[in-house]
Amino acid sequence: MARVSNFIVVFVNTLLLIVGLVSLAFGVVFTVQGDTHCEKVMTKPALILGGFVAAVALLGLIGSLCKSNFFMFIYLTIVFLLIVGLIGFAIFVFLITNPGAGK
């Protein structure tokens, strides 16, 4: 019997895989048909971010569907590091943009 948590992990990672693949597709379109400066600047970030999101989502899908503890451990480690990085980035942005925060 399938567990609800397994279904949620599969569902979220499927959505993230689709988002990553769409971002990769936009990066390829910007590479081929990049007319404006903005499209040319967004080419590499779209390709890198899309590839990273797709790879992490694929790790989560493989770990969840195949019930592989190894892939789930790698997936959870990457997600944990991303969350810690986002918290650190949020604190950094708050300290930089708020003039009275560091005093």
Side-chain angles (χ1 to χ4, degrees):
M1 186 167 144
R3 295 183 182 172
V4 174
S5 62
N6 194 25
F7 173 75
I8 292 172
V9 170
V10 169
F11 180 73
V12 169
N13 282 310
T14 302
L15 290 177
L16 284 175
L17 183 62
I18 291 169
V19 168
L21 292 176
V22 167
S23 178
L24 276 172
F26 275 120
V28 171
V29 168
F30 290 161
T31 302
V32 175
Q33 299 175 353
D35 296 331
T36 65
H37 177 69
C38 182
E39 290 175 346
K40 291 177 184 175
V41 169
M42 287 303 296
T43 299
K44 285 185 182 178
L47 289 173
I48 293 170
L49 186 65
F52 184 73
V53 168
V56 171
L58 198 58
L59 277 174
L61 277 173
I62 291 171
S64 183
L65 291 175
C66 298
K67 294 179 177 58
S68 172
N69 289 333
F70 177 72
F71 285 114
M72 285 304 290
F73 179 74
I74 292 174
Y75 169 73
L76 291 174
T77 302
I78 292 172
V79 170
F80 174 74
L81 291 174
L82 282 173
I83 291 171
V84 169
L86 283 173
I87 291 171
F89 181 71
I91 292 171
F92 173 74
V93 167
F94 174 72
L95 291 175
I96 295 299
T97 58
N98 193 356
K103 295 179 182 179

